[in-house]
Amino acid sequence: NTASTLAPSFSPAPCGQVLAADADGITLACGADGSEGVLATQLQKAGGKRLAAVDFLAGYPLQIGEIFQ
């Protein structure tokens, strides 16, 4: 049951910044300097049920550069 996996390194970005969002998942900047990424393949809003990334994005579209909290 893994909801996320490490993604390739990216240019530094604020932690939590959306680097990519598609049917495969949402890649967020992370790491001490924001140069790492994590791919979230399942997401869950507070009080909601866990959804696959494609289903989450259908109801809650995210823009590249947005800070995901």
Side-chain angles (χ1 to χ4, degrees), residues 8-69:
S9 294
F10 294 90
S11 298
C15 289
Q17 183 173 13
V18 176
L19 302 174
D22 57 31
D24 293 328
I26 298 169
T27 304
L28 303 167
C30 64
D33 63 359
S35 64
E36 300 292 322
V38 64
L39 176 64
T41 58
Q42 299 179 10
L43 298 106
Q44 182 174 355
K45 288 191 65 98
K49 65 180 182 175
R50 186 184 326 185
L51 299 172
V54 67
D55 297 324
F56 183 89
L57 290 169
Y60 304 97
L62 296 173
Q63 300 298 317
I64 305 301
E66 184 175 344
I67 302 296
F68 188 76
Q69 298 181 4

